[in-house]
Amino acid sequence: MNKLIRGFVCLYGLLVLAACEDCVFTSRHSSEPIVRFYRKGSTRVLAPGFDSVQTGKGITIYRAGRILYSSITSENPVPNSVVLPLDPSRDTSLFVFFGRRPGAPADSPARRDTLVLTYKRILSIVSPDCGYDRRIENLQIIKNPYDSAQIAARPVVLRADTVHIRLFW
C-alpha cells in the first residue's frame, strides 16, 4: 500500500511539473519603428541634429544624440537614426522633434516639428502564462512637417535592425 501511495505521489508530481509552463517566449515583432533622416533628393544619411524628441504624452525619448527609451536595446541598433516607441494603447502616435533639423547649419533657428503615425495593433495570445504578442501593421504617416516622408518597405514588419521610416528635407 505504501508503495502504491508513493507511486501516485510521484506520478502526480510528474504531471504537475509537466503542466507548469515556463514562459520563454520572445516576440519577433517590435512596436518601435526606426526613423532615418536624409537630405531631399539624396541617399546620404544625416545624423539627427535636434535637441530632443518627445511623445505626444510629453515623455522625452531622445535627447542630444542619446536614446532614452527603447526596449530594443540601450544602444541604437541603426546608426544615425531614432527609435520611436508607438503608444501601445492607441492606433495613433505623435512625436515632437525640438531643435535643428539634421544637416542644418549650426546657426539655423530651432524648430518644433510634429510627426504623426497611425497603425493597426494586432494582438495574439501566446499562452495564459506568457500573455500576448503585439505586432504592428499598416504603419502610415498622417502628419509630416518635412519635405517628404516614406515608409521604407511594405508590408512593414517592425524589427530591431531595420529602418522603417525615411524623412527627407
Side-chain angles (χ1 to χ4, degrees):
M1 182 74 171
N2 198 11
K3 285 184 180 183
L4 186 59
I5 291 174
R6 276 192 292 187
F8 280 122
V9 169
C10 287
L11 181 61
Y12 178 75
L14 288 173
L15 289 174
V16 167
L17 287 175
C20 290
E21 181 180 335
D22 287 336
C23 184
V24 293
F25 171 75
T26 302
S27 178
R28 297 176 317 190
H29 306 104
S30 171
S31 57
E32 299 175 342
I34 297 173
V35 178
R36 190 175 259 178
F37 308 91
Y38 302 86
R39 175 84 56 211
K40 186 175 180 181
S42 172
T43 58
R44 193 181 114 220
V45 178
L46 301 172
F50 33 78
D51 300 321
S52 65
V53 179
Q54 290 184 352
T55 65
K57 295 181 178 180
I59 300 168
T60 301
I61 57 173
Y62 176 92
R63 184 178 297 130
R66 195 167 148 236
I67 293 176
L68 303 176
Y69 170 83
S70 174
S71 65
I72 294 173
T73 178
S74 59
E75 295 295 320
N76 196 346
V78 180
N80 294 326
S81 63
V82 174
V83 178
L84 301 178
L86 300 178
D87 186 340
S89 65
R90 303 183 66 208
D91 289 338
T92 303
S93 289
L94 179 138
F95 300 95
V96 182
F97 297 77
F98 296 95
R100 288 184 312 108
R101 288 183 171 182
D107 61 347
S108 65
R111 296 183 55 107
R112 180 182 172 170
D113 296 323
T114 303
L115 176 70
V116 180
L117 305 173
T118 63
Y119 42 89
K120 183 174 182 179
R121 296 168 293 144
I122 308 294
L123 302 176
S124 57
I125 294 176
V126 176
S127 75
D129 290 334
C130 290
Y132 65 91
D133 185 21
R134 176 182 55 228
R135 80 177 186 271
I136 302 297
E137 289 187 354
N138 199 25
L139 181 66
Q140 296 180 352
I141 301 162
I142 60 169
K143 182 176 181 188
N144 168 33
Y146 308 102
D147 291 332
S148 63
Q150 64 181 204
I151 302 298
R154 293 200 191 273
V156 174
V157 176
L158 297 182
R159 293 186 29 205
D161 60 351
T162 304
V163 173
H164 305 104
I165 300 171
R166 294 184 183 124
L167 297 177
F168 299 87
W169 57 84

